Amino acid sequence: MFRLVAVLLSIMLMAGNSWAAEQQLPSDESGISATSRPTYSLDARPHINRLDFDFRTGESTAWLNDSGDFHVHGWLPHPSLLCATYRMGVRFGIGAPGCLNVKWVTDPVYVTSHYQCNGARVEHDGGDAAPEVGAQIAKITCAERVVRCSGRCK
C-alpha cells in the first residue's frame, strides 16, 4: 500500500513539473527582463494587438502580437578569441507589477544561433509563432531575452 502511494505521488510530481514553465534559468543561460508596452487596436472595442519590449536601449528588442507571432532582435558580443555558439530566445510572463514576481508562462524559445569568434559582436534576428501565448496577450506584462552559450563562453 505504501509503495502504491509513493509511486502515485512521484507520478503526480513529475507530471506537474513537465507542464509548467521553468521559473529559473539553467547556469548556461542568462536573461534580461523588460516590461511590456502595449499597442491598442483602433476598433470600436479597443484591445491589445501588440506588445513591445526594450531590453536595453539600442541593444535588444522584441515584440509579440495577438496571434502569437513574436520577433527578437539584438546584438551579442563574444569577449574571447576562442569560439562559442550563442543562441538568442525569449520567454513571456505575468508579473505584478510589470516584471516583479513574474510567473513565466513559457519556457525560452530560441530563434537564432550564431558561431562567434575573436571578440566579434554579432547581430541576432529571428522569430516564431506561439498561438497559445497570443491568446494570453492581455495578461502578459514581461518578457525575458534569454541567451544560451556553448563552447568557450566567458
Side-chain angles (χ1 to χ4, degrees):
M1 178 68 170
F2 287 112
R3 288 183 185 168
L4 179 62
V5 171
V7 168
L8 290 175
L9 183 61
S10 297
I11 291 171
M12 287 176 22
L13 288 173
M14 287 186 290
N17 287 340
S18 66
W19 293 326
E22 289 294 324
Q23 299 300 304
Q24 299 294 322
L25 293 174
S27 61
D28 65 339
E29 298 176 347
S30 63
I32 299 173
S33 297
T35 57
S36 64
R37 290 180 318 207
T39 301
Y40 291 88
S41 69
L42 298 177
D43 298 341
R45 299 181 69 179
H47 64 278
I48 297 173
N49 61 2
R50 179 175 157 143
L51 297 175
D52 290 294
F53 305 92
D54 190 3
F55 299 102
R56 287 191 178 155
T57 304
E59 195 171 306
S60 297
T61 59
W63 57 259
L64 167 70
N65 67 20
D66 58 356
S67 61
D69 299 324
F70 66 91
H71 187 265
V72 183
H73 175 266
W75 291 85
L76 292 179
H78 175 67
S80 177
L81 293 177
L82 300 174
C83 301
T85 300
Y86 289 87
R87 298 175 67 202
M88 183 186 287
V90 67
R91 67 179 178 168
F92 300 98
I94 301 167
C99 285
L100 297 176
N101 303 315
V102 178
K103 180 182 182 295
W104 299 107
V105 295
T106 64
D107 287 321
V109 177
Y110 294 94
V111 293
T112 71
S113 180
H114 290 289
Y115 191 66
Q116 298 177 219
C117 303
N118 301 327
R121 184 172 182 253
V122 175
E123 182 178 23
H124 288 249
D125 191 60
D128 203 348
E132 67 281 359
V133 177
Q136 300 181 57
I137 196 167
K139 297 183 216 170
I140 292 173
T141 61
C142 187
E144 185 172 41
R145 183 207 72 181
V146 181
V147 175
R148 175 181 281 169
C149 182
S150 58
R152 298 292 183 154
C153 309
K154 283 191 174 186

